[in-house]
Amino acid sequence: MSSEANLRELTVVAMSGGVDSSTVAAMLHESGAPIVGLTMQLWNQRRLPELSPGEAPRQRCCSLDDVYDARRVAEHIGIPHYVVNFERRFEETVVRPFVQDYLAGRTPIPCALCNNHVKFDQLLVTARQIGASRIATGHYARIERNAHTGRYNLLRASDLSKDQSYFLFGLTQEQLAHASFPLGNLSKQAVREMARRARLPVAEKPESQEICFVPSGNYTNFIDAYRRETSERGRADKEDSERSRADKDDSEGKRAEEEDREQGPAAEKDCDESGELVSTSGQVVGMHSGIQNFTVGQRRGLGIAAPRPLYVLQIDADARRVTVGEEKELWRDSLEARDVNWIAWPGLDEPLEATVKIRYRHEPAPARLEPAGAATVRVRFHAPQRAITPGQAAVFYRGDEVLGGGWIR
């Protein structure tokens, strides 16, 4: 397809209200491409007010201030702008799994889930509904079409200090085919300068530092408040349902109430979430109030005194047991990744040498990838790696190319 044809295609710019996506909008508009700015309303910032009483929300993405900033930028450069409400989808595919993962002893990555299920899924559906063929975002990564395989390759950004390819490992070929990352070859400093030259209202805006739905970055407080709210909402819905049934058929309603009374105590969730802190030998060294308070590699907040620093080594959700030990015991040389998404090719048929990142700020480490079942890969590192954490992503690289990735078991 010619570049002239590309310029005529309507592109949706996912405008978060930050400097990166705002600069993308300005760049594309200046190039003459027809664009529409869409801002996603993902989370009601007024929910769970007890988490930040009397305080203005700190710098988080997707806040009401961000929506306002995105609209200001759109007006400044002269493009249409709309807000789309994806709150239900976001809660179902990002927030709820976030809470469930922590309660299962895993450490989730909500930004990756948001990319997979909202930004490059639901937003693409909305873009097509308004006649757009592409989505442009402010991610620091690159996409190239492989002339030999016909597949779309995902590459690390030129500025490795800002590279976000780790969070994009779950994108499908369909999503990559309709995505654009105009900042992939730029540094953050260059983007700031472009924003200043365009006189964008957000040119000096600081970067967001927190997860959009977690005030003050306190995960455990959020989980407790969310579960409490969900439980109260569930009880209210049940009471409404029971009243409705009673009004419709009094006799059936009475029978249902009797059944609920019989099943109630057994169906109630055990509120005692305490458990044991144990050493690698199985010795009990302390107690805890809930496994959601811990992540592998954690040192602070264990609540126990020891002659040497102790770290979280393992979390057993079923037994509500947290194993702790010395730093040297954190190092492992293998892992299994589930639900693997391959980008460079459809699947892995034989062992492969690659480098692997096990967290966002982790330097890719040489490893051997081995097929281990449907959408499962066993990773054997050439040298042990510190704090391999269930729930995080293992992303496979060949140089700058993202081969694929999956979730650490």
Side-chain angles (χ1 to χ4, degrees), residues 133-404:
S133 58
R134 300 185 67 76
I135 295 175
T137 75
H139 285 96
Y140 286 84
R142 294 174 290 157
I143 299 173
E144 291 182 358
R145 182 78 181 274
N146 188 311
H148 299 291
T149 66
R151 296 177 69 85
Y152 289 87
N153 292 342
L154 176 66
L155 307 176
R156 296 203 289 178
S158 296
D159 183 354
L160 294 182
S161 68
K162 295 300 298 178
D163 173 55
Q164 293 173 302
S165 62
Y166 177 81
F167 299 110
L168 301 167
F169 77 90
L171 298 190
T172 66
Q173 285 294 300
E174 172 71 10
Q175 291 166 339
L176 288 169
H178 295 89
S180 175
F181 303 140
L183 306 185
N185 289 309
L186 300 174
S187 67
K188 183 71 178 192
Q189 182 179 359
V191 171
R192 286 278 185 196
E193 288 302 322
M194 294 175 69
R196 291 175 183 128
R197 288 197 298 271
R199 300 184 181 277
L200 298 183
V202 296
E204 306 302 332
K205 185 175 180 178
E207 295 186 67
S208 59
Q209 300 295 324
E210 297 179 350
I211 296 174
C212 61
F213 57 90
V214 181
S216 304
N218 192 318
Y219 301 160
T220 55
N221 283 354
F222 173 82
I223 291 169
D224 291 342
Y226 180 80
R227 295 172 73 195
R228 186 166 53 249
E229 180 207 58
T230 303
S231 177
E232 292 171 354
R233 187 191 311 159
R235 283 197 295 268
D237 290 345
K238 181 179 178 181
E239 290 171 0
D240 290 343
S241 177
E242 289 174 348
R243 281 195 294 269
S244 177
R245 283 188 298 173
D247 292 341
K248 182 178 179 180
D249 188 329
D250 186 59
S251 62
E252 289 185 4
K254 288 180 180 178
R255 284 199 299 272
E257 289 174 3
E258 291 173 358
E259 291 174 0
D260 287 341
R261 280 198 296 270
E262 292 174 359
Q263 298 174 2
E268 284 182 4
K269 179 184 176 297
D270 181 4
C271 293
D272 181 12
E273 296 179 330
S274 63
E276 298 174 339
L277 291 162
V278 302
S279 66
T280 51
S281 64
Q283 179 184 0
V284 177
V285 296
M287 300 295 294
H288 67 79
S289 59
I291 61 170
Q292 65 270 24
N293 298 302
F294 302 97
T295 184
V296 171
Q298 178 179 334
R299 175 184 172 184
R300 299 182 183 278
L302 302 187
I304 53 177
R308 291 180 295 275
L310 295 179
Y311 300 80
V312 174
L313 305 179
Q314 186 178 4
I315 302 171
D316 184 338
D318 293 334
R320 296 187 299 206
R321 184 181 297 115
V322 177
T323 302
V324 298
E326 297 182 38
E327 198 271 346
K328 64 183 180 182
E329 298 174 284
L330 275 174
W331 296 78
R332 290 171 44 200
D333 60 7
S334 65
L335 64 83
E336 275 199 359
R338 59 175 173 83
D339 300 329
V340 172
N341 176 64
W342 290 104
I343 297 175
W345 43 69
L348 184 66
D349 297 323
E350 58 186 20
L352 171 75
E353 292 293 320
T355 58
V356 180
K357 289 186 71 165
I358 58 172
R359 64 183 64 87
Y360 175 47
R361 292 299 183 188
H362 178 249
E363 185 67 25
R368 180 179 176 86
L369 311 182
E370 301 173 352
T376 303
V377 167
R378 183 172 293 106
V379 178
R380 300 188 187 278
F381 291 101
H382 294 183
Q385 303 298 306
R386 187 182 187 279
I388 296 175
T389 306
Q392 294 286 287
V395 180
F396 319 135
Y397 292 83
R398 180 172 55 191
D400 283 342
E401 182 183 3
V402 179
L403 304 178

Side-chain angles (χ1 to χ4, degrees), residues 57-115:
R58 300 200 318 192
Q59 191 58 44
R60 293 181 278 154
C61 70
C62 310
S63 69
L64 292 177
D65 286 341
D66 290 326
V67 174
Y68 172 71
D69 286 341
R71 181 175 289 119
R72 282 200 303 156
V73 170
E75 291 175 351
H76 176 76
I77 61 180
I79 63 170
H81 175 261
Y82 305 96
V83 178
V84 289
N85 191 315
F86 292 154
E87 286 186 22
R88 177 176 296 181
R89 174 77 169 179
F90 184 74
E91 183 165 4
E92 290 175 353
T93 61
V94 180
V95 179
R96 197 170 298 149
F98 173 88
V99 173
Q100 291 169 344
D101 272 351
Y102 265 109
L103 295 175
R106 297 186 290 268
T107 304
I109 312 176
C111 292
L113 290 176
C114 185
N115 287 332

